[in-house]
Each structure stands twice: as structure tokens, then as C-alpha cells.
């Protein structure tokens, strides 16, 4: 069992690192989160039930670790804006169009609210089912579907601009006017 557990952990590490980076939006914190998650998973290997979804199990651990870190950091002194500004000055921006588009997409994903971002990363980024993502996030499947739809729509609007109103929408929606009874 232990060899299989280690194999599963090693296979999942790239996805864990990616999820951690998008959760924290800070490379150093993401590395710390990945290490803490791996350590916690190893110490709790006896709690994993073979035959269940390892990815969902370890992503739940990571999400809980991340929430614990947020609570801890709130109690600690916040980093100064100067360190973030220095980081931005030291980084080299890509000149290629693909790199710029990727950065724009990652920025858009980073601007999603936490629930939408987590859901998008779990379902679209890491291939978890709606049911598995609902277990990781601790919410109903319907909430996962809603978060994912809203996240996708937000990203599409940001990357491609809002979709024009189609003929299937009511005249009020096409005109952009609010109904008279709702105007104040």
C-alpha cells in the first residue's frame, strides 16, 4: 500500500503545484503549500482509502491547508507593498503574443472570486468531476455547476469581450434598459 500511495503522490505533484500556485498567486507560498500538503498527506496515509479518488482527497487537504495559511497570515504582519513592487520590477514580461495572452488569462483567473477560481481549477484544470469537486469544496453539486458556469462566462467576457445580445433574449436585455418598475 505504501509504495502505491507514494506513486499516487508523485503522480499528483504537478497538479498540486499548479493548484497551489493558482490558489496562492505567489510562487514561494505555493511551494510551501505543496510541501505542507505532501507532508500532511504522508502523515495521514493510513486515512486514505484505496479505491477512492486520491486526487480529490489530496486536493481537499491542500484546500484546508490553504485556508489555515490564510487564517495564520491574517494574524501575522502583512508583507509590505514594496516587496511586491520589487518582485514586479524584477520579473521579465514575455514579448510573444501567446505569452501575453496566457498572462492575461492567468490574471483573469486570479481575479475570479475564490469559490469560482477553486472550482474552475478543480474541474477544468485538474479533471475532477462535479461530485468530486463538491466534496473538496464542501458544497452542493449545484453550487459547483453554478460557480463553474459563472467563472467560464467571466473569463470569456474578459478575454473576448461581452457577447452581443442575441434575438433569443428579451427586448429589455437587448436594449440594455432596465424595466420601468425597477428603475429608481
Amino acid at each position: 500500500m505504501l509504495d502505491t500511495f507514494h506513486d499516487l503522490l508523485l503522480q499528483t505533484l504537478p497538479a498540486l503545484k499548479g493548484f497551489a500556485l493558482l490558489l496562492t498567486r505567489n510562487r514561494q507560498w505555493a511551494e510551501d503549500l505543496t510541501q505542507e500538503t505532501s507532508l500532511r498527506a504522508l502523515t495521514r496515509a493510513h486515512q486514505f482509502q484505496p479505491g477512492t479518488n486520491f486526487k480529490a482527497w489530496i486536493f481537499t487537504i491542500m484546500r484546508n491547508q490553504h485556508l489555515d495559511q490564510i487564517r495564520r497570515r491574517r494574524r501575522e504582519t502583512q508583507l509590505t507593498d514594496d516587496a511586491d513592487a520589487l518582485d514586479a520590477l524584477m520579473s521579465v514580461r514575455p514579448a510573444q503574443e501567446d505569452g501575453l495572452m496566457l498572462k492575461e488569462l492567468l490574471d483573469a483567473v486570479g481575479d475570479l472570486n475564490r469559490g469560482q477560481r477553486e472550482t474552475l481549477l478543480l474541474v477544468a484544470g485538474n479533471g475532477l468531476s462535479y461530485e468530486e469537486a463538491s466534496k473538496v469544496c464542501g458544497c452542493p453539486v449545484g453550487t459547483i455547476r453554478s460557480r463553474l458556469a459563472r467563472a467560464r462566462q467571466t473569463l470569456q467576457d474578459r478575454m473576448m469581450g461581452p457577447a452581443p445580445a442575441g434575438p433569443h433574449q428579451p427586448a429589455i436585455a437587448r436594449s440594455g434598459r432596465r424595466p420601468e418598475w425597477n428603475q429608481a
Side-chain angles (χ1 to χ4, degrees), residues 55-92:
K55 218 176 200 184
W57 182 76
I58 198 158
F59 278 29
T60 301
I61 292 173
M62 178 171 277
R63 183 175 181 272
N64 291 339
Q65 281 290 114
H66 176 62
L67 294 174
D68 288 346
Q69 283 182 354
I70 290 172
R71 288 183 201 111
R72 232 177 306 160
R73 285 193 182 105
R74 282 184 186 153
R75 286 184 238 123
E76 297 172 355
T77 318
Q78 296 294 325
L79 292 176
T80 63
D81 290 335
D82 294 341
D84 292 336
L86 182 60
D87 245 4
L89 288 175
M90 298 293 285
S91 66
V92 177

Side-chain angles (χ1 to χ4, degrees), residues 26-170:
N26 179 300
R27 189 170 304 279
Q28 184 178 3
W29 290 349
E31 289 173 6
D32 291 345
L33 179 59
T34 303
Q35 288 176 2
E36 289 176 22
T37 301
S38 299
L39 181 61
R40 183 162 287 187
L42 287 169
T43 61
R44 289 171 173 73
H46 64 281
Q47 294 177 346
F48 175 69
Q49 298 173 358
T52 60
N53 189 325
F54 181 79
K55 218 176 200 184
W57 182 76
I58 198 158
F59 278 29
T60 301
I61 292 173
M62 178 171 277
R63 183 175 181 272
N64 291 339
Q65 281 290 114
H66 176 62
L67 294 174
D68 288 346
Q69 283 182 354
I70 290 172
R71 288 183 201 111
R72 232 177 306 160
R73 285 193 182 105
R74 282 184 186 153
R75 286 184 238 123
E76 297 172 355
T77 318
Q78 296 294 325
L79 292 176
T80 63
D81 290 335
D82 294 341
D84 292 336
L86 182 60
D87 245 4
L89 288 175
M90 298 293 285
S91 66
V92 177
R93 305 230 182 239
Q96 299 84 4
E97 187 174 330
D98 290 346
L100 293 173
M101 287 181 67
L102 179 60
K103 182 181 180 336
E104 185 179 342
L105 177 62
L106 291 175
D107 288 346
V109 168
D111 289 343
L112 293 171
N113 70 47
R114 188 180 74 207
Q116 290 176 356
R117 187 174 55 249
E118 283 180 350
T119 301
L120 181 71
L121 297 173
L122 290 171
V123 175
N126 289 295
L128 268 63
S129 69
Y130 294 145
E131 292 78 16
E132 293 166 340
S134 75
K135 288 177 185 172
V136 170
C137 293
C139 64
V141 173
T143 302
I144 293 297
R145 291 175 193 259
S146 175
R147 286 177 181 175
L148 185 61
R150 290 176 188 204
R152 287 175 172 163
Q153 186 62 52
T154 300
L155 291 177
Q156 181 178 346
D157 289 350
R158 177 132 174 220
M159 298 299 291
M160 304 184 73
H168 63 282
Q169 293 178 330

Side-chain angles (χ1 to χ4, degrees), residues 1-20:
M1 151 95 178
L2 200 53
D3 288 336
T4 306
F5 184 86
H6 284 128
D7 293 340
L8 288 171
L9 181 59
L10 288 173
Q11 290 171 359
T12 311
L13 272 178
L16 276 176
K17 288 177 183 178
F19 188 50

